[in-house]
């Protein structure tokens, strides 16, 4: 097959990732993973990602429907939501840093409490295990050891998120079935995990595939050697081509040069900073020729795009960004552009149409 051009890869990336809106369960299954983030500007990342792929989606719908869906909150290359069956590829998970004897004892006490108590809110754990004390926080200050143990038990597959109450995770005990730990089974799990990475973020430059393979040690630290081996053999497993001296990868059964890959014309789409379209900053720069920055954690005086800049897709081009905020129930926006703002009524109407769609998504009157 003739190698695709960079423009064909870009069109393919947009068409395969921004698929026709469908149901919530189907969208999550098609994506394979939806990255989560607690920041709300004007909505959480998971909601901003799903609004483009779920018909009539309203912010908060994932959290509301979560207890009835066959999905889980867990770790993959980052933290987020994924189909329940994917957990079998990563559990039982063996953390890279084991707990010491005292921390193991405290964790067992807490796990026994959740098993007896049923669905448990972190405040109930704080009341019961205040004697566990506090520990230094990652970003300064102190954290309650018991709430950190909840996270640790969740990561180790002893707890799952039952639901969220006003955004706070409520946990319940869970037992994952024992996994086949043979070399063949471990290799199969690693292959399946990397297949999901490629399916979500393709087409991928080789360096990005390597980086995502490294990130898989978050969800499957015990399979690090196996995922590296699969990555090294990527040319035997995935379709690929050399473009401008760089190897790109995509699923074996897809054709980036197919004429069916068409990006919407005359339409503006605002993307979440963690949307699969823009998540890979290396690919972003190859496709659109400029560096997009997520500046939420950058001091205000050093920001060039804004607190939570949403990349602005105009047809096939990402030409700038938007910062949105709610002010007394009204949606306010500021646009920024790499070059000049497109002139004419077509772009103006497209921006207004996207802002109206955002208002419906946020359930604003």
């Amino acid at each position: 097959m003739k190698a695709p051009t960079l423009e064909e890869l870009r069109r393919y990336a947009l068409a395969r990732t921004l698929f026709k809106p469908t149901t919530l369960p189907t969208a999550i299954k098609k994506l394979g993973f939806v990255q989560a983030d607690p920041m709300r500007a004007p909505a959480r990342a998971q909601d901003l990602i799903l609004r483009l792929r779920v018909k009539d989606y309203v912010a908060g719908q994932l959290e509301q429907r979560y207890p009835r869906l066959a999905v889980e909150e867990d770790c993959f290359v980052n933290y987020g939501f994924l189909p329940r069956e994917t957990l079998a590829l990563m559990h039982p998970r063996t953390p890279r840093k084991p707990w010491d004897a005292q921390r193991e004892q405290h964790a067992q006490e807490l796990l026994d409490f959740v098993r007896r108590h049923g669905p448990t809110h972190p405040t109930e754990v704080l009341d019961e295990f205040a004697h566990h004390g506090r520990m230094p926080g990652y970003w300064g200050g102190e954290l309650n050891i018991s709430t950190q143990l909840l996270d640790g038990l969740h990561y180790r597959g002893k707890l799952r998120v039952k639901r969220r109450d006003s955004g706070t995770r409520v946990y319940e005990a869970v037992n994952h079935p024992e996994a086949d730990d043979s070399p063949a089974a471990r290799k199969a799990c690693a292959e399946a995990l990397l297949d999901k990475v490629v399916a979500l973020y393709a087409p991928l430059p080789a360096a990005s595939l390597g980086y995502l393979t490294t990130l898989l040690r978050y969800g499957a630290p015990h399979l690090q050697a196996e995922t590296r081996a699969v990555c090294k053999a990527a040319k035997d497993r995935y379709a690929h081509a050399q473009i401008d001296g760089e190897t790109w990868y995509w699923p074996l059964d897809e054709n980036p040069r197919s004429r069916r890959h068409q990006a919407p014309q005359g339409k503006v789409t605002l993307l979440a900073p963690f949307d699969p379209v823009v998540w890979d900053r290396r690919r972003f720069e190859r496709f659109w020729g400029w560096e997009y920055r997520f500046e939420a954690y950058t001091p205000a005086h050093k920001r060039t795009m804004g607190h939570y800049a949403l990349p602005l897709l105009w047809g096939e081009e990402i030409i700038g960004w938007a910062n949105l905020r709610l002010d007394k129930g009204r949606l306010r926006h500021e646009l920024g552009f790499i070059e000049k703002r497109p002139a004419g009524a077509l772009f103006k109407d497209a921006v207004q149409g996207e802002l109206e769609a955002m208002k419906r998504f946020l359930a604003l009157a």
Side-chain angles (χ1 to χ4, degrees):
M1 183 177 71
K2 182 180 177 181
T5 64
L6 196 62
E7 289 74 19
E8 287 172 331
L9 279 187
R10 183 180 65 190
R11 192 172 301 126
Y12 161 62
L14 291 171
R16 72 184 301 278
T17 311
L18 293 171
F19 49 80
K20 183 179 179 180
T22 181
T23 65
L24 180 56
T26 300
I28 295 173
K29 187 172 183 179
K30 282 176 72 72
L31 287 168
F33 174 70
V34 179
Q35 185 169 334
D37 189 83
M39 196 174 294
R40 191 179 306 194
R44 294 186 176 97
Q46 56 267 36
D47 289 323
L48 290 167
I49 291 168
L50 290 168
R51 83 171 183 99
L52 302 175
R53 298 163 173 93
V54 177
K55 188 176 180 181
D56 300 324
Y57 187 83
V58 178
Q61 194 176 101
L62 175 60
E63 183 174 317
Q64 293 165 5
R65 294 184 57 188
Y66 173 85
R68 304 188 300 277
L69 297 171
V71 300
E72 294 287 332
E73 284 193 41
D74 211 307
C75 306
F76 186 50
V77 292
N78 285 291
Y79 187 83
F81 299 84
L82 63 170
R84 186 166 292 156
E85 62 265 23
T86 304
L87 292 190
L89 302 174
M90 300 185 290
H91 286 283
R93 182 182 286 143
T94 306
R96 289 181 293 161
K97 295 182 179 180
W99 283 328
D100 60 28
Q102 184 183 51
R103 196 60 56 87
E104 281 282 1
Q105 180 184 339
H106 287 167
Q108 188 60 52
E109 292 171 0
L110 195 151
L111 179 59
D112 291 342
F113 173 82
V114 176
R115 284 172 174 161
R116 294 192 307 269
H117 184 272
T120 302
H121 192 282
T123 55
E124 297 169 299
V125 169
L126 290 176
D127 293 340
E128 184 72 15
F129 296 100
H131 61 279
H132 282 174
R134 299 173 67 82
M135 61 183 288
Y138 298 112
W139 309 107
E142 290 187 333
L143 301 170
N144 286 293
I145 288 177
S146 54
T147 55
Q148 295 308 297
L149 288 175
L150 283 175
D151 286 344
L153 287 166
H154 178 211
Y155 184 74
R156 286 159 173 77
K158 304 297 184 182
L159 299 178
R160 67 176 292 269
V161 177
K162 171 74 173 177
R163 65 177 188 274
R164 282 184 180 249
D165 288 351
S166 300
T168 301
R169 286 175 286 199
V170 175
Y171 295 96
E172 68 177 356
V174 65
N175 289 312
H176 292 288
E178 290 190 14
D180 183 350
D181 198 40
S182 67
R186 292 170 67 89
K187 180 174 182 285
C189 284
E191 290 173 339
L193 287 170
L194 212 65
D195 288 352
K196 292 182 180 298
V197 166
V198 172
L200 176 59
Y201 294 114
L204 277 167
S208 298
L209 179 59
Y211 177 56
L212 282 158
T213 301
T214 300
L215 291 184
L216 265 177
R217 67 185 180 188
Y218 184 41
H222 53 298
L223 297 177
Q224 190 172 356
E226 288 81 1
T227 53
R228 282 178 176 172
V230 177
C231 183
K232 287 181 180 179
K235 288 184 178 179
D236 297 326
R237 189 167 186 82
Y238 306 113
H240 57 278
Q242 280 272 333
I243 302 169
D244 297 333
E246 191 168 34
T247 303
W248 290 72
Y249 294 96
W250 59 89
L252 201 57
D253 59 350
E254 296 181 11
N255 178 13
R257 302 187 69 239
S258 172
R259 292 184 179 181
R260 68 184 180 88
H261 300 312
Q262 296 295 327
Q265 299 301 313
K267 181 180 178 182
V268 163
T269 303
L270 296 179
L271 301 162
F274 308 117
D275 192 282
V277 172
V278 300
W279 184 92
D280 180 6
R281 305 297 193 251
R282 180 183 290 103
R283 189 182 80 167
F284 186 103
E285 202 166 344
R286 303 289 191 278
F287 281 169
W288 290 290
W290 58 279
E291 183 183 359
Y292 165 68
R293 298 173 182 171
F294 179 62
E295 299 178 324
Y297 302 106
T298 302
H301 68 281
K302 293 184 178 181
R303 292 175 188 154
T304 58
M305 298 180 189
H307 172 253
Y308 201 85
L310 307 177
L312 189 155
L313 177 67
W314 170 231
E316 294 181 23
E317 298 288 342
I318 296 182
I319 60 173
W321 58 89
N323 282 277
L324 306 182
R325 61 184 176 88
L326 293 176
D327 179 18
K328 298 179 180 178
R330 291 180 178 272
L331 184 65
R332 307 294 186 185
H333 72 280
E334 295 178 0
L335 303 183
F337 299 92
I338 289 298
E339 296 179 351
K340 291 183 178 180
R341 176 189 175 113
L346 184 62
F347 180 74
K348 182 179 179 181
D349 291 345
V351 169
Q352 190 58 39
E354 177 67 339
L355 292 174
E356 291 300 322
M358 188 69 74
K359 290 176 185 177
R360 292 191 296 272
F361 159 71
L362 295 169
L364 298 178

